[in-house]
């Protein structure tokens, strides 16, 4: 029996880009809400999004009164000469009452572990730690209590990993998918000079342009690149290069990955058996309508599963990027 | 056609009144918009014969013919109900974009900032529109309450 199998149900860790979304998530049944400050210290540094210090303190109080927790993401990589911004984010998160810090950078993990030894430290997916040696290193060196696993592992691999590491694991169960190189992707940086790793934003909106054609088509452009052209009848995706459609070898198609969202509802029994401690929903950049719908669907699914009832698996298609859902690497068939 | 001839001036006082009432009731929108409050954003209502161009920092909103050529930094288009849902946080902007229910062009950053600011605001445009008209809004409020109460009944009458 693995260390997590004693848990009845895993924590449901839900996204919030605004205080309003946090309240919605808590009221919809989130055990934990994760969010970040309104600057480049977190990987969803979008205009109009995120929390001021005062909002974070109020949000944490709101969550705690309702028995929910707040994890604060400080999960970009500090830039040379600007490390104070990231350290202050760590200090302020603790001051606001955060129940855990989610970090990716080793230097920041070291600072947090030394400066705030009583605050739980979680390793962000951006650290891309996906093997026992890497995870053990973070646990032993920085007292990391939980690692958010990159979306590259099958359920079998997650089960095996859980038996070998001394900390909890958290896995994504719904939302946007990266091109399987989290924390190491340079596509956005190549096209725009900005990346989620350093600036907290993939394909920054300031570099994105949409052009509507007279025939109902739509071009999406990132920097100087046209990355997709959607016919009038087609659903669209995010304006990221990894979801772009390109001419290659005489064919036109999605050479990295198709626009689609991860949905692990159908994999829930297997993931529960794998020993993970928490289910994470992606989407701090999404609206509160998304937050409410996804949190409710997963809360109900966990409840139905616990009662031995069938889990409804097609509830969230309307929220999917490109109108498509995938089980991603959890049901990996390509290796 | 000159810009003034494209303007639907008879609609503007009512629209401006509602616009300012929303901004007064939700000062957090301006705070969240930050520098993007100065952006001129065009709202194209697909199923209406007009469009609006607003600039939050100046508390200005103009109403124009749908095909009017008006200078703006960014544009959001969609049906009236879709845009209402988006403004009130009842619809997820990304999902509406994926499904092509809304379309955007121009300064994407300004559109994203506006979407996020509105989503956080918990506004109810109908409620705030009625409040904007003060005493004159009372009969409208009564009509709205009656409409709200009657809606399930009417829906039931037409149910299969």
């Amino acid at each position: 029996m693995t260390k997590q199998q004693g848990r009845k149900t895993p924590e449901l860790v839900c996204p919030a880009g605004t205080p309003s979304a946090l309240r919605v998530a808590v009221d919809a049944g989130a055990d934990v809400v994760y969010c970040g400050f309104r600057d480049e210290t977190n990987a969803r540094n979008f205009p109009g999004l995120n929390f001021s210090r005062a909002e974070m303190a109020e949000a944490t109080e709101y969550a705690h009164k309702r028995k929910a927790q707040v994890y604060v993401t400080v999960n970009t990589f500090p830039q040379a000469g600007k490390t104070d911004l990231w350290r202050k984010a760590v200090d302020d998160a603790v001051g606001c009452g955060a129940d855990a810090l989610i970090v990716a950078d080793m230097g920041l993990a070291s600072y947090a572990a030394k400066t705030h030894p009583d605050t739980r430290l979680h390793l962000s997916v951006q650290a891309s730690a996906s093997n026992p040696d890497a995870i053990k290193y973070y646990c032993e060196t920085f007292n990391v209590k939980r690692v958010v696993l990159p979306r590259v592992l099958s359920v079998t691999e997650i089960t095996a990993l859980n038996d070998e590491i001394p900390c909890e694991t958290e896995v994504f169960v719904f939302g946007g998918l990266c091109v399987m190189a989290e924390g190491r992707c340079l596509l956005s940086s190549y096209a725009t000079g900005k990346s989620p790793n350093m600036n907290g934003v993939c394909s920054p909106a300031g570099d994105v342009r949409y052009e509507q054609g007279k025939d109902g088509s739509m071009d999406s452009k990132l920097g100087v690149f046209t990355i997709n052209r959607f016919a009038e009848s087609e659903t669209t995706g995010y304006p990221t290069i990894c979801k772009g459609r390109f001419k290659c070898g005489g064919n036109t198609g999605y050479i990295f990955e198709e626009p689609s969202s991860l949905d692990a509802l159908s994999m829930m029994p297997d993931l529960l058996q794998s020993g993970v401690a928490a289910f994470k929903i992606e989407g701090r950049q999404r609206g509160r309508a998304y937050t409410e719908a996804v949190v409710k669907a997963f809360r109900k699914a966990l409840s139905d599963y616990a009662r031995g009832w069938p889990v409804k698996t097609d509830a969230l298609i309307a929220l999917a990027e490109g109108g498509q859902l995938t089980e991603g690497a959890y049901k990996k068939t390509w290796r | 056609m000159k810009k003034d001839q494209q303007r639907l001036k008879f609609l503007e006082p009512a629209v401006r009144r509602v616009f300012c009432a929303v901004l007064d009731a939700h000062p957090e929108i301006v705070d969240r918009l930050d520098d993007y409050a100065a952006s001129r954003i065009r709202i194209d209502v697909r199923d209406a014969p007009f469009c609006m161009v607003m600039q939050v920092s100046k508390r200005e909103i103009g109403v124009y013919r749908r095909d009017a050529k008006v200078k703006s930094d960014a544009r959001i288009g969609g049906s009236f109900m879709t845009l209402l849902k988006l403004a009130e946080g009842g619809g997820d902007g990304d999902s509406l974009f994926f499904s092509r229910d809304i379309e955007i062009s121009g300064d994407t950053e300004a559109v994203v900032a506006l979407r996020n600011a509105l989503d956080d605001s918990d506004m109810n445009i109908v409620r705030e529109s009625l409040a904007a008209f003060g005493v004159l809004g009372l009969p409208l409020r009564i009509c709205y309450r009656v409409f709200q109460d009657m809606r399930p009944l009417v829906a039931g009458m037409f149910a299969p």
Side-chain angles (χ1 to χ4, degrees), chain B residues 108-129:
Chain B
T108 312
E109 236 171 13
V111 175
V112 171
L114 179 64
R115 188 278 306 264
N116 291 331
L118 294 177
D119 198 73
D120 183 50
S121 70
D122 288 328
M123 79 158 83
N124 178 320
I125 287 188
V126 174
R127 185 185 63 214
E128 275 138 35
S129 299

Side-chain angles (χ1 to χ4, degrees), chain A residues 24-48:
Chain A
V24 163
V26 169
D27 296 347
D31 295 309
V32 178
V33 181
Y34 66 102
C35 42
F37 290 122
R38 217 186 283 183
D39 56 34
E40 57 200 315
T41 60
N42 80 91
R44 288 289 183 270
N45 179 26
F46 295 177

Side-chain angles (χ1 to χ4, degrees), chain A residues 273-285:
Chain A
Q273 289 300 314
S274 75
V276 299
F279 284 175
K280 183 168 207 155
I281 295 165
E282 186 275 345
R284 284 189 286 137
Q285 77 283 10

Side-chain angles (χ1 to χ4, degrees), chain B residues 10 16 18 20 24 28 41-42 51 55 60 64 70-71 87 96 113 122 141 145-147:
Chain B
F10 67 98
R16 189 176 297 124
V18 172
C20 291
D24 289 341
E28 70 276 9
I41 298 181
R42 176 175 177 143
C51 68
Q55 191 172 18
E60 278 183 7
Y64 300 86
V70 190
K71 193 180 162 196
L96 295 169
D122 288 328
R141 269 200 292 272
R145 281 296 301 272
V146 171
F147 170 72

Side-chain angles (χ1 to χ4, degrees), chain B residues 46-90:
Chain B
R46 280 183 197 154
D47 45 4
F50 60 86
C51 68
M52 294 172 279
V53 179
M54 64 180 189
Q55 191 172 18
V56 171
S57 61
K58 292 188 175 174
R59 295 168 66 87
E60 278 183 7
I61 189 162
V63 185
Y64 300 86
R65 292 175 194 277
R66 191 180 170 185
D67 57 355
K69 290 183 169 48
V70 190
K71 193 180 162 196
S72 63
D73 300 305
R75 178 184 153 273
I76 310 172
S79 72
F80 176 77
M81 289 310 291
T82 301
L83 293 171
L84 185 66
K85 212 159 69 164
L86 186 66
E88 295 186 336

Side-chain angles (χ1 to χ4, degrees), chain A residues 38-99:
Chain A
R38 217 186 283 183
D39 56 34
E40 57 200 315
T41 60
N42 80 91
R44 288 289 183 270
N45 179 26
F46 295 177
L49 208 66
N50 294 316
F51 292 62
S52 67
R53 267 54 178 178
E55 286 171 340
M56 187 68 83
E58 278 175 33
T60 306
E61 191 181 343
Y62 182 91
H64 287 171
K65 277 184 181 168
R66 289 157 184 80
K67 313 284 184 208
Q69 298 185 77
V70 174
Y71 297 167
V72 176
T73 55
V74 192
N75 63 342
T76 48
F77 294 84
Q79 296 164 22
K82 288 177 71 177
T83 49
D84 283 353
L85 181 67
W86 277 261
R87 289 182 174 193
K88 188 166 184 344
V90 164
D91 296 340
D92 290 347
V94 175
C96 289
D99 298 285

Side-chain angles (χ1 to χ4, degrees), chain A residues 18-20 23 38 47-50 55 205-206 208-210 212 216 218 230-231 234-236 238 285-290 318-321, chain B residues 31-32 36 75 88-95 97-100 103-109 112-113 115-123:
Chain A
T18 61
S20 179
R23 292 191 294 272
R38 217 186 283 183
L49 208 66
N50 294 316
E55 286 171 340
V208 173
R209 285 288 182 279
Y210 297 106
Q212 316 295 329
M218 183 188 78
F230 298 98
E234 281 187 298
T235 53
T236 68
Y238 284 120
Q285 77 283 10
R286 306 289 292 258
R288 57 194 155 97
Y290 164 95
L319 301 169
E321 182 181 3
Chain B
D31 174 54
R32 208 159 262 283
Y36 303 103
R75 178 184 153 273
E88 295 186 336
D92 170 57
D94 287 11
S95 304
F97 175 73
F98 296 149
S99 62
R100 311 285 290 272
E103 58 185 39
I104 63 178
S105 55
D107 183 350
T108 312
E109 236 171 13
V112 171
R115 188 278 306 264
N116 291 331
L118 294 177
D119 198 73
D120 183 50
S121 70
D122 288 328
M123 79 158 83

